[in-house]
Short mmCIF file of all heavy atoms in Angstrom, two decimals:
data_model
loop_
_atom_site.label_atom_id
_atom_site.label_comp_id
_atom_site.label_asym_id
_atom_site.label_seq_id
_atom_site.Cartn_x
_atom_site.Cartn_y
_atom_site.Cartn_z
N MET C 468 104.35 87.83 123.96
CA MET C 468 104.17 86.43 123.58
C MET C 468 103.70 86.40 122.15
O MET C 468 102.97 87.26 121.69
CB MET C 468 103.15 85.77 124.48
CG MET C 468 102.90 84.37 124.17
SD MET C 468 101.90 83.56 125.45
CE MET C 468 101.97 81.93 124.81
N ILE C 469 104.09 85.39 121.45
CA ILE C 469 103.67 85.22 120.06
C ILE C 469 102.49 84.26 120.04
O ILE C 469 102.59 83.12 120.51
CB ILE C 469 104.82 84.67 119.18
CG1 ILE C 469 105.94 85.74 119.14
CG2 ILE C 469 104.34 84.36 117.79
CD1 ILE C 469 107.17 85.30 118.36
N TYR C 470 101.38 84.72 119.49
CA TYR C 470 100.15 83.91 119.35
C TYR C 470 100.04 83.54 117.87
O TYR C 470 100.49 84.28 117.01
CB TYR C 470 98.94 84.68 119.79
CG TYR C 470 99.00 85.09 121.24
CD1 TYR C 470 99.35 86.38 121.61
CD2 TYR C 470 98.71 84.17 122.24
CE1 TYR C 470 99.41 86.75 122.95
CE2 TYR C 470 98.74 84.56 123.58
CZ TYR C 470 99.11 85.85 123.93
OH TYR C 470 99.17 86.18 125.25
N PRO C 471 99.43 82.42 117.58
CA PRO C 471 99.26 82.02 116.17
C PRO C 471 98.31 82.95 115.39
O PRO C 471 97.34 83.41 116.02
CB PRO C 471 98.73 80.59 116.23
CG PRO C 471 98.15 80.46 117.60
CD PRO C 471 98.84 81.40 118.49
N ASN C 472 98.58 83.19 114.15
CA ASN C 472 97.68 83.92 113.30
C ASN C 472 96.29 83.23 113.34
O ASN C 472 96.25 82.01 113.36
CB ASN C 472 98.16 84.05 111.87
CG ASN C 472 99.38 84.93 111.79
OD1 ASN C 472 99.78 85.59 112.75
ND2 ASN C 472 99.99 84.97 110.64
N GLY C 473 95.23 84.03 113.38
CA GLY C 473 93.90 83.47 113.49
C GLY C 473 93.37 83.49 114.89
O GLY C 473 92.19 83.24 115.11
N THR C 474 94.24 83.81 115.87
CA THR C 474 93.79 83.95 117.25
C THR C 474 92.74 85.05 117.32
O THR C 474 92.89 86.08 116.66
CB THR C 474 94.99 84.29 118.18
OG1 THR C 474 95.91 83.21 118.16
CG2 THR C 474 94.57 84.59 119.59
N THR C 475 91.72 84.83 118.12
CA THR C 475 90.68 85.89 118.25
C THR C 475 90.75 86.52 119.64
O THR C 475 91.06 85.87 120.63
CB THR C 475 89.25 85.33 118.02
OG1 THR C 475 88.99 84.28 118.97
CG2 THR C 475 89.10 84.82 116.60
N LEU C 476 90.52 87.83 119.63
CA LEU C 476 90.43 88.59 120.87
C LEU C 476 89.00 89.11 120.95
O LEU C 476 88.52 89.80 120.05
CB LEU C 476 91.41 89.76 120.83
CG LEU C 476 91.38 90.77 121.98
CD1 LEU C 476 91.73 90.05 123.33
CD2 LEU C 476 92.32 91.90 121.71
N SER C 477 88.27 88.73 122.01
CA SER C 477 86.90 89.13 122.14
C SER C 477 86.58 89.56 123.54
O SER C 477 87.32 89.33 124.47
CB SER C 477 85.95 87.97 121.71
OG SER C 477 86.23 86.82 122.47
N GLY C 478 85.40 90.17 123.68
CA GLY C 478 84.97 90.74 124.95
C GLY C 478 85.27 92.24 124.97
O GLY C 478 85.97 92.77 124.12
N LEU C 479 84.64 92.91 125.90
CA LEU C 479 84.79 94.38 126.04
C LEU C 479 84.42 95.10 124.74
O LEU C 479 84.99 96.14 124.40
CB LEU C 479 86.22 94.75 126.44
CG LEU C 479 86.80 94.07 127.66
CD1 LEU C 479 88.29 94.44 127.84
CD2 LEU C 479 86.01 94.45 128.90
N GLY C 480 83.51 94.52 124.00
CA GLY C 480 83.10 95.12 122.74
C GLY C 480 84.02 94.84 121.57
O GLY C 480 83.87 95.43 120.47
N LEU C 481 85.02 93.95 121.77
CA LEU C 481 85.99 93.63 120.72
C LEU C 481 85.67 92.32 120.05
O LEU C 481 85.19 91.40 120.67
CB LEU C 481 87.38 93.54 121.31
CG LEU C 481 87.93 94.77 122.00
CD1 LEU C 481 89.22 94.41 122.75
CD2 LEU C 481 88.22 95.86 120.97
N LYS C 482 85.96 92.23 118.77
CA LYS C 482 85.91 90.95 118.03
C LYS C 482 87.01 91.11 116.94
O LYS C 482 86.79 91.58 115.85
CB LYS C 482 84.55 90.77 117.40
CG LYS C 482 84.45 89.51 116.58
CD LYS C 482 84.57 88.25 117.43
CE LYS C 482 84.33 87.03 116.54
NZ LYS C 482 84.97 85.84 117.05
N LEU C 483 88.23 90.76 117.33
CA LEU C 483 89.42 90.92 116.49
C LEU C 483 90.04 89.59 116.15
O LEU C 483 90.03 88.66 116.98
CB LEU C 483 90.47 91.81 117.18
CG LEU C 483 89.98 93.19 117.70
CD1 LEU C 483 91.07 93.84 118.51
CD2 LEU C 483 89.54 94.06 116.55
N THR C 484 90.64 89.49 114.95
CA THR C 484 91.35 88.31 114.54
C THR C 484 92.80 88.68 114.27
O THR C 484 93.06 89.61 113.52
CB THR C 484 90.71 87.69 113.27
OG1 THR C 484 89.33 87.40 113.59
CG2 THR C 484 91.42 86.42 112.86
N LEU C 485 93.73 87.96 114.87
CA LEU C 485 95.17 88.28 114.68
C LEU C 485 95.65 87.90 113.30
O LEU C 485 95.43 86.76 112.84
CB LEU C 485 95.96 87.51 115.75
CG LEU C 485 97.45 87.83 115.80
CD1 LEU C 485 97.70 89.27 116.21
CD2 LEU C 485 98.14 86.89 116.77
N GLU C 486 96.30 88.86 112.65
CA GLU C 486 96.86 88.64 111.32
C GLU C 486 98.38 88.49 111.35
O GLU C 486 98.95 87.81 110.53
CB GLU C 486 96.49 89.78 110.41
CG GLU C 486 95.02 89.84 110.04
CD GLU C 486 94.74 90.77 108.92
OE1 GLU C 486 95.38 91.84 108.85
OE2 GLU C 486 93.88 90.43 108.09
N ASP C 487 99.05 89.18 112.26
CA ASP C 487 100.51 89.17 112.27
C ASP C 487 101.00 89.66 113.65
O ASP C 487 100.32 90.45 114.29
CB ASP C 487 101.08 90.04 111.17
CG ASP C 487 102.54 89.83 110.92
OD1 ASP C 487 103.07 88.72 111.24
OD2 ASP C 487 103.21 90.74 110.42
N THR C 488 102.20 89.25 114.00
CA THR C 488 102.87 89.70 115.23
C THR C 488 104.27 90.18 114.86
O THR C 488 104.99 89.44 114.21
CB THR C 488 102.96 88.58 116.27
OG1 THR C 488 101.65 88.10 116.54
CG2 THR C 488 103.60 89.05 117.56
N GLU C 489 104.58 91.41 115.27
CA GLU C 489 105.95 91.93 115.03
C GLU C 489 106.73 91.87 116.33
O GLU C 489 106.25 92.30 117.39
CB GLU C 489 105.90 93.39 114.60
CG GLU C 489 105.54 93.61 113.15
CD GLU C 489 105.63 95.10 112.83
OE1 GLU C 489 106.74 95.67 112.87
OE2 GLU C 489 104.55 95.66 112.56
N PHE C 490 107.93 91.40 116.23
CA PHE C 490 108.84 91.40 117.40
C PHE C 490 109.61 92.72 117.32
O PHE C 490 110.34 92.95 116.37
CB PHE C 490 109.78 90.18 117.30
CG PHE C 490 110.68 90.00 118.49
CD1 PHE C 490 110.15 89.72 119.76
CD2 PHE C 490 112.05 90.13 118.35
CE1 PHE C 490 111.00 89.55 120.82
CE2 PHE C 490 112.89 89.96 119.43
CZ PHE C 490 112.37 89.70 120.67
N LEU C 491 109.46 93.60 118.34
CA LEU C 491 110.03 94.92 118.27
C LEU C 491 111.38 95.08 119.03
O LEU C 491 112.06 96.07 118.84
CB LEU C 491 109.04 95.94 118.83
CG LEU C 491 107.70 96.05 118.10
CD1 LEU C 491 106.82 97.05 118.82
CD2 LEU C 491 107.89 96.45 116.66
N THR C 492 111.71 94.13 119.86
CA THR C 492 112.94 94.22 120.67
C THR C 492 114.14 94.18 119.75
O THR C 492 114.27 93.28 118.92
CB THR C 492 112.99 93.12 121.71
OG1 THR C 492 111.79 93.10 122.46
CG2 THR C 492 114.19 93.30 122.63
N GLU C 493 115.04 95.12 119.91
CA GLU C 493 116.24 95.18 119.07
C GLU C 493 117.25 94.13 119.50
O GLU C 493 117.38 93.83 120.72
CB GLU C 493 116.87 96.56 119.17
CG GLU C 493 115.97 97.66 118.53
CD GLU C 493 116.71 98.96 118.39
OE1 GLU C 493 117.95 98.94 118.27
OE2 GLU C 493 116.01 99.97 118.41
N PRO C 494 117.96 93.52 118.56
CA PRO C 494 118.99 92.53 118.90
C PRO C 494 120.01 93.11 119.88
O PRO C 494 120.43 94.26 119.75
CB PRO C 494 119.66 92.22 117.55
CG PRO C 494 118.64 92.61 116.53
CD PRO C 494 117.87 93.75 117.13
N GLY C 495 120.37 92.34 120.86
CA GLY C 495 121.35 92.77 121.84
C GLY C 495 120.74 93.56 123.00
O GLY C 495 121.44 93.92 123.93
N SER C 496 119.45 93.87 122.91
CA SER C 496 118.81 94.62 123.97
C SER C 496 118.64 93.77 125.21
O SER C 496 118.35 92.57 125.13
CB SER C 496 117.42 95.09 123.49
OG SER C 496 116.69 95.63 124.58
N CYS C 497 118.82 94.39 126.37
CA CYS C 497 118.63 93.66 127.61
C CYS C 497 117.24 93.93 128.20
O CYS C 497 116.94 93.50 129.30
CB CYS C 497 119.67 94.09 128.61
SG CYS C 497 121.33 93.60 128.16
N GLY C 498 116.42 94.61 127.44
CA GLY C 498 115.08 94.95 127.90
C GLY C 498 114.09 93.83 127.71
O GLY C 498 114.37 92.75 127.17
N GLU C 499 112.86 94.13 128.13
CA GLU C 499 111.75 93.19 128.00
C GLU C 499 111.41 93.01 126.51
O GLU C 499 111.52 93.93 125.69
CB GLU C 499 110.54 93.78 128.72
CG GLU C 499 109.26 93.05 128.55
CD GLU C 499 108.08 93.78 129.18
OE1 GLU C 499 108.24 94.89 129.73
OE2 GLU C 499 106.98 93.23 129.11
N ASP C 500 111.02 91.79 126.15
CA ASP C 500 110.56 91.56 124.76
C ASP C 500 109.29 92.38 124.50
O ASP C 500 108.39 92.42 125.34
CB ASP C 500 110.24 90.09 124.53
CG ASP C 500 111.50 89.24 124.41
OD1 ASP C 500 112.60 89.79 124.27
OD2 ASP C 500 111.39 87.99 124.51
N GLU C 501 109.29 93.06 123.34
CA GLU C 501 108.15 93.92 122.98
C GLU C 501 107.55 93.40 121.69
O GLU C 501 108.27 93.06 120.75
CB GLU C 501 108.59 95.36 122.82
CG GLU C 501 109.14 95.95 124.09
CD GLU C 501 109.68 97.37 123.91
OE1 GLU C 501 109.72 97.84 122.73
OE2 GLU C 501 110.02 97.99 124.89
N PHE C 502 106.20 93.40 121.65
CA PHE C 502 105.50 92.89 120.48
C PHE C 502 104.46 93.94 120.03
O PHE C 502 103.91 94.65 120.84
CB PHE C 502 104.77 91.59 120.81
CG PHE C 502 105.67 90.48 121.21
CD1 PHE C 502 105.95 90.24 122.55
CD2 PHE C 502 106.26 89.65 120.25
CE1 PHE C 502 106.79 89.21 122.94
CE2 PHE C 502 107.08 88.62 120.63
CZ PHE C 502 107.36 88.39 121.97
N LEU C 503 104.21 93.95 118.70
CA LEU C 503 103.12 94.75 118.13
C LEU C 503 102.22 93.75 117.41
O LEU C 503 102.68 92.99 116.52
CB LEU C 503 103.69 95.78 117.16
CG LEU C 503 102.64 96.70 116.52
CD1 LEU C 503 101.90 97.55 117.54
CD2 LEU C 503 103.28 97.57 115.46
N TYR C 504 100.95 93.71 117.80
CA TYR C 504 99.99 92.80 117.20
C TYR C 504 99.13 93.52 116.16
O TYR C 504 98.61 94.57 116.41
CB TYR C 504 99.08 92.21 118.30
CG TYR C 504 99.86 91.46 119.36
CD1 TYR C 504 100.18 92.04 120.56
CD2 TYR C 504 100.29 90.16 119.10
CE1 TYR C 504 100.91 91.36 121.51
CE2 TYR C 504 101.02 89.45 120.06
CZ TYR C 504 101.32 90.05 121.27
OH TYR C 504 102.03 89.38 122.21
N HIS C 505 99.01 92.87 114.99
CA HIS C 505 98.18 93.40 113.89
C HIS C 505 96.90 92.58 113.86
O HIS C 505 96.90 91.37 113.62
CB HIS C 505 98.92 93.25 112.55
CG HIS C 505 100.16 94.03 112.48
ND1 HIS C 505 100.25 95.20 111.77
CD2 HIS C 505 101.38 93.82 113.05
CE1 HIS C 505 101.47 95.70 111.86
NE2 HIS C 505 102.20 94.87 112.63
N TRP C 506 95.77 93.22 114.07
CA TRP C 506 94.47 92.58 114.13
C TRP C 506 93.61 93.04 112.98
O TRP C 506 93.81 94.11 112.45
CB TRP C 506 93.74 92.93 115.45
CG TRP C 506 94.49 92.60 116.66
CD1 TRP C 506 95.35 93.42 117.36
CD2 TRP C 506 94.47 91.40 117.42
NE1 TRP C 506 95.86 92.81 118.46
CE2 TRP C 506 95.34 91.57 118.54
CE3 TRP C 506 93.79 90.19 117.27
CZ2 TRP C 506 95.54 90.53 119.47
CZ3 TRP C 506 93.98 89.21 118.20
CH2 TRP C 506 94.84 89.37 119.29
N ARG C 507 92.57 92.26 112.68
CA ARG C 507 91.55 92.62 111.69
C ARG C 507 90.21 92.61 112.38
O ARG C 507 89.91 91.63 113.11
CB ARG C 507 91.60 91.63 110.50
CG ARG C 507 90.68 91.91 109.35
CD ARG C 507 90.95 93.17 108.60
NE ARG C 507 92.32 93.25 108.09
CZ ARG C 507 92.77 94.37 107.51
NH1 ARG C 507 92.00 95.39 107.34
NH2 ARG C 507 93.99 94.44 107.11
N THR C 508 89.41 93.63 112.20
CA THR C 508 88.10 93.68 112.81
C THR C 508 87.06 92.91 111.96
O THR C 508 87.36 92.59 110.80
CB THR C 508 87.59 95.12 112.98
OG1 THR C 508 87.41 95.70 111.68
CG2 THR C 508 88.60 95.97 113.78
N SER C 509 85.89 92.69 112.50
CA SER C 509 84.88 91.99 111.75
C SER C 509 84.39 92.75 110.52
O SER C 509 83.84 92.20 109.60
CB SER C 509 83.70 91.66 112.66
OG SER C 509 83.16 92.84 113.24
N ASP C 510 84.60 94.09 110.53
CA ASP C 510 84.21 94.88 109.36
C ASP C 510 85.45 95.21 108.51
O ASP C 510 85.48 96.17 107.75
CB ASP C 510 83.48 96.15 109.75
CG ASP C 510 84.25 97.08 110.68
OD1 ASP C 510 85.32 96.67 111.19
OD2 ASP C 510 83.79 98.23 110.92
N ASP C 511 86.47 94.36 108.59
CA ASP C 511 87.67 94.38 107.74
C ASP C 511 88.56 95.63 107.86
O ASP C 511 89.12 96.13 106.93
CB ASP C 511 87.29 94.18 106.27
CG ASP C 511 88.47 93.62 105.45
OD1 ASP C 511 89.26 92.84 106.04
OD2 ASP C 511 88.63 93.96 104.28
N ARG C 512 88.63 96.14 109.08
CA ARG C 512 89.50 97.29 109.39
C ARG C 512 90.69 96.78 110.17
O ARG C 512 90.63 95.75 110.88
CB ARG C 512 88.74 98.34 110.14
CG ARG C 512 87.57 98.87 109.38
CD ARG C 512 86.71 99.79 110.19
NE ARG C 512 87.36 101.07 110.36
CZ ARG C 512 86.89 102.02 111.13
NH1 ARG C 512 85.81 101.85 111.84
NH2 ARG C 512 87.52 103.17 111.19
N SER C 513 91.82 97.44 110.06
CA SER C 513 93.01 97.03 110.81
C SER C 513 92.99 97.69 112.20
O SER C 513 92.46 98.77 112.39
CB SER C 513 94.27 97.35 110.07
OG SER C 513 94.39 98.75 109.90
N HIS C 514 93.62 96.98 113.13
CA HIS C 514 93.70 97.44 114.53
C HIS C 514 95.05 96.99 115.08
O HIS C 514 95.40 95.81 114.89
CB HIS C 514 92.53 96.85 115.33
CG HIS C 514 92.44 97.37 116.73
ND1 HIS C 514 91.82 98.51 117.06
CD2 HIS C 514 92.92 96.84 117.87
CE1 HIS C 514 91.91 98.71 118.38
NE2 HIS C 514 92.58 97.71 118.88
N LEU C 515 95.78 97.89 115.73
CA LEU C 515 97.05 97.51 116.32
C LEU C 515 97.02 97.62 117.81
O LEU C 515 96.36 98.51 118.39
CB LEU C 515 98.14 98.50 115.83
CG LEU C 515 98.42 98.56 114.33
CD1 LEU C 515 99.38 99.70 114.02
CD2 LEU C 515 98.98 97.24 113.84
N THR C 516 97.70 96.69 118.49
CA THR C 516 97.92 96.80 119.93
C THR C 516 99.36 96.42 120.26
O THR C 516 99.96 95.57 119.55
CB THR C 516 96.99 95.84 120.75
OG1 THR C 516 97.26 94.53 120.40
CG2 THR C 516 95.52 96.18 120.53
N THR C 517 99.91 97.02 121.27
CA THR C 517 101.19 96.62 121.78
C THR C 517 100.95 95.48 122.77
O THR C 517 99.80 95.20 123.18
CB THR C 517 101.90 97.75 122.47
OG1 THR C 517 101.13 98.12 123.66
CG2 THR C 517 102.08 98.95 121.58
N HIS C 518 102.01 94.84 123.19
CA HIS C 518 101.89 93.78 124.19
C HIS C 518 101.37 94.32 125.51
O HIS C 518 100.61 93.64 126.19
CB HIS C 518 103.25 93.08 124.39
CG HIS C 518 104.29 93.91 125.00
ND1 HIS C 518 104.91 94.92 124.33
CD2 HIS C 518 104.84 93.91 126.23
CE1 HIS C 518 105.79 95.51 125.10
NE2 HIS C 518 105.76 94.94 126.26
N VAL C 519 101.66 95.57 125.85
CA VAL C 519 101.19 96.16 127.09
C VAL C 519 99.66 96.46 126.97
O VAL C 519 98.91 96.14 127.89
CB VAL C 519 101.94 97.49 127.38
CG1 VAL C 519 101.34 98.20 128.55
CG2 VAL C 519 103.40 97.20 127.61
N GLU C 520 99.23 96.95 125.81
CA GLU C 520 97.79 97.18 125.64
C GLU C 520 97.03 95.85 125.67
O GLU C 520 95.95 95.79 126.26
CB GLU C 520 97.55 97.89 124.30
CG GLU C 520 98.07 99.30 124.26
CD GLU C 520 98.09 99.92 122.88
OE1 GLU C 520 98.33 99.18 121.91
OE2 GLU C 520 97.87 101.13 122.79
N LEU C 521 97.58 94.85 125.05
CA LEU C 521 96.90 93.52 125.02
C LEU C 521 96.80 92.99 126.49
O LEU C 521 95.74 92.47 126.87
CB LEU C 521 97.67 92.51 124.17
CG LEU C 521 97.09 91.11 124.09
CD1 LEU C 521 95.65 91.13 123.65
CD2 LEU C 521 97.94 90.22 123.21
N ALA C 522 97.84 93.10 127.26
CA ALA C 522 97.81 92.66 128.63
C ALA C 522 96.72 93.41 129.44
O ALA C 522 96.04 92.79 130.26
CB ALA C 522 99.20 92.80 129.30
N SER C 523 96.60 94.68 129.19
CA SER C 523 95.57 95.47 129.90
C SER C 523 94.18 95.02 129.49
O SER C 523 93.29 94.92 130.36
CB SER C 523 95.72 96.97 129.55
OG SER C 523 96.90 97.47 130.08
N LEU C 524 93.95 94.77 128.17
CA LEU C 524 92.64 94.26 127.74
C LEU C 524 92.30 92.94 128.38
O LEU C 524 91.16 92.69 128.85
CB LEU C 524 92.62 94.12 126.20
CG LEU C 524 92.63 95.42 125.44
CD1 LEU C 524 92.91 95.17 123.95
CD2 LEU C 524 91.34 96.19 125.63
N LEU C 525 93.29 92.06 128.50
CA LEU C 525 93.08 90.75 129.10
C LEU C 525 92.78 90.88 130.60
O LEU C 525 91.93 90.20 131.15
CB LEU C 525 94.25 89.83 128.85
CG LEU C 525 94.51 89.45 127.37
CD1 LEU C 525 95.81 88.70 127.24
CD2 LEU C 525 93.31 88.67 126.81
N ALA C 526 93.50 91.80 131.26
CA ALA C 526 93.25 92.05 132.69
C ALA C 526 91.86 92.59 132.91
O ALA C 526 91.26 92.35 133.98
CB ALA C 526 94.30 93.00 133.22
N ASP C 527 91.31 93.33 131.94
CA ASP C 527 89.99 93.94 132.06
C ASP C 527 88.89 92.94 131.67
O ASP C 527 87.71 93.27 131.78
CB ASP C 527 89.90 95.18 131.20
CG ASP C 527 90.63 96.37 131.79
OD1 ASP C 527 90.99 96.31 132.98
OD2 ASP C 527 90.87 97.31 131.04
N GLY C 528 89.21 91.75 131.21
CA GLY C 528 88.24 90.72 130.96
C GLY C 528 88.09 90.24 129.54
O GLY C 528 87.27 89.38 129.26
N ALA C 529 88.86 90.80 128.62
CA ALA C 529 88.85 90.28 127.22
C ALA C 529 89.45 88.87 127.22
O ALA C 529 90.18 88.50 128.16
CB ALA C 529 89.64 91.21 126.31
N THR C 530 89.15 88.11 126.21
CA THR C 530 89.65 86.71 126.14
C THR C 530 90.32 86.47 124.78
O THR C 530 89.93 87.03 123.77
CB THR C 530 88.54 85.69 126.34
OG1 THR C 530 87.55 85.89 125.35
CG2 THR C 530 87.92 85.80 127.71
N LEU C 531 91.30 85.61 124.81
CA LEU C 531 91.99 85.13 123.61
C LEU C 531 91.60 83.69 123.36
O LEU C 531 91.56 82.87 124.29
CB LEU C 531 93.51 85.20 123.79
CG LEU C 531 94.20 86.52 123.72
CD1 LEU C 531 95.68 86.36 124.03
CD2 LEU C 531 94.03 87.18 122.38
N ASN C 532 91.33 83.38 122.11
CA ASN C 532 91.02 81.98 121.73
C ASN C 532 91.90 81.63 120.55
O ASN C 532 91.88 82.33 119.54
CB ASN C 532 89.53 81.86 121.32
CG ASN C 532 88.64 82.06 122.50
OD1 ASN C 532 88.75 81.34 123.50
ND2 ASN C 532 87.78 83.03 122.41
N TYR C 533 92.71 80.58 120.70
CA TYR C 533 93.60 80.12 119.64
C TYR C 533 93.66 78.60 119.58
O TYR C 533 93.11 77.92 120.39
CB TYR C 533 94.98 80.72 119.74
CG TYR C 533 95.62 80.66 121.09
CD1 TYR C 533 96.46 79.61 121.44
CD2 TYR C 533 95.39 81.66 122.01
CE1 TYR C 533 97.10 79.58 122.67
CE2 TYR C 533 96.02 81.64 123.26
CZ TYR C 533 96.84 80.62 123.58
OH TYR C 533 97.44 80.57 124.81
#
């Protein structure tokens, strides 16, 4: 899923702000849509998650705010 830039991911010791979302699914692919999320930490470091990793974090109790 595409979330707006500025979305925050928090909980589980995380405090990340979404900077960009890459759509990774190749044109013509019949597979599941795949995304790579580019986050910024509170200490200005970059952090990447795939859509699968993000779903796991959310299942474990992290929250998205947008």
